Amino acid sequence: MNDTADVAPAVRSILAAARDRDGGSERLSVDARSLPRAFAAAESDGRVPVIAEVKPTSPTTEGTREGDPVELARQMVDGGAAALSVLTEPEHFGGSTENLRRIREAVDVPVLRKDFVVREDQLDLVESDVILLIARFVDDLSGLLDAAEARDFQALVEVHDGEELAEAVEAGASIIGVNNRDLAKLEVDLSTFESVAPAVPEDVTLIAESGVTTPEDARRMRDAGADGLLVGSAIMAGDVRTETEKFVNAEAHE
């Protein structure tokens, strides 16, 4: 585990729980829906490629969003989401692998498993199309990336700065997300993406994560080079279909 002494207490708590969480008992092999193809299809339809996130709660939001996760997911897809992100971390985000399983069965878009995966056996808990690997919190990023791809997962490797980006590129990541949230202070700064994006190889699918709260933010991230946007709290805060449509159509209303 990389050094986490300088991260926020809430994040340390999440990581402690992640280290203690059991993995799967049988190695998975998935038939993944392509995230890059889903992004390309959205682009061809004139939509901003949005990964809409089913997030019941989080340490940085107040309260819990009620409602059937499957119905919320369907409304996001009806609103034009190119893909979905589903929280499976139970203690701090109210997620579950069962929610992901049910949602993936109910929709036809790629589904990202959003969790703190720190060991290979934790890849085997549930099938998804995309798995999140956070560079800062993985000891052997190259090894875990290889293990994910050996199971036919697509891996979204999350970075926050140039050093982590270099590690992700060296490991062979083909999908990279830049998290605008500083996990040391839990503060969000959209200029983080703008500073990291220019160094991302052109053949990498690049995603802006965290802090996209308005259509203006969406356009800003797209102008900075984002192939897609991961939007959670801003969509979950209102009618999820309407809010998804707002971001999907951000470039149509400039």
Side-chain angles (χ1 to χ4, degrees):
M1 180 72 62
N2 290 340
D3 181 28
T4 59
D6 62 341
V7 301
V11 178
R12 283 201 298 273
S13 176
I14 294 168
L15 288 169
R19 286 193 291 268
D20 292 339
R21 197 168 301 128
D22 291 338
S25 58
E26 295 185 10
R27 179 183 170 117
L28 294 179
S29 178
V30 302
D31 182 11
R33 304 160 188 164
S34 170
L35 184 63
R37 281 204 296 269
F39 279 8
E43 293 269 14
S44 69
D45 289 341
R47 292 178 283 136
V48 174
V50 170
I51 305 174
E53 187 161 86
V54 182
K55 179 167 66 173
T57 189
S58 82
T60 58
T61 58
E62 295 183 2
T64 300
R65 176 64 190 259
E66 303 296 338
D68 179 13
V70 173
E71 182 56 31
L72 292 172
R74 286 184 174 132
Q75 290 177 29
M76 291 171 178
V77 174
D78 289 344
L84 298 174
S85 170
V86 180
L87 269 294
T88 60
E89 201 282 342
E91 290 92 344
H92 303 81
F93 292 88
S96 73
T97 55
E98 178 63 13
N99 283 349
L100 188 150
R101 185 192 64 76
R102 292 177 58 227
I103 288 170
R104 189 165 181 258
E105 287 181 353
V107 301
D108 60 1
V109 301
V111 178
L112 162 70
R113 178 185 168 200
K114 186 83 171 289
D115 207 333
F116 288 67
V117 174
V118 296
R119 299 192 316 271
E120 180 175 346
D121 66 329
Q122 292 173 337
L123 296 169
D124 296 319
L125 284 171
V126 64
E127 292 187 17
S128 64
D129 303 290
V130 189
I131 194 84
L132 177 69
L133 302 179
I134 304 175
R136 183 170 188 169
F137 302 136
V138 174
D139 285 330
D140 179 10
L141 180 59
S142 179
L144 197 54
L145 178 60
D146 287 347
E149 292 179 344
R151 291 161 169 79
D152 292 323
F153 287 111
Q154 297 159 96
L156 166 57
V157 178
E158 178 181 295
V159 306
H160 181 68
D161 57 26
E163 183 177 346
E164 292 173 3
L165 172 63
E167 182 183 4
V169 172
E170 177 66 23
S174 60
I175 305 173
I176 292 176
V178 179
N179 191 349
N180 288 308
R181 188 181 303 280
D182 178 357
L183 296 179
K185 300 177 181 179
L186 294 183
E187 296 174 351
V188 172
D189 184 351
L190 294 183
S191 68
T192 301
F193 182 89
E194 292 166 327
S195 67
V196 174
V200 176
E202 289 187 5
D203 61 347
V204 166
T205 298
L206 179 59
I207 298 168
E209 305 177 36
S210 298
V212 176
T213 60
T214 66
E216 291 77 17
D217 293 337
R219 292 193 289 270
R220 178 177 170 183
M221 294 294 92
R222 291 278 282 168
D223 288 344
D227 296 306
L229 312 172
L230 194 154
V231 186
S233 298
I235 289 176
M236 292 293 286
D239 177 87
V240 296
R241 176 170 181 165
T242 300
E243 295 303 315
T244 301
E245 290 173 343
K246 182 189 302 182
F247 292 100
V248 163
N249 296 315
E251 294 176 347
H253 304 299
E254 292 186 69

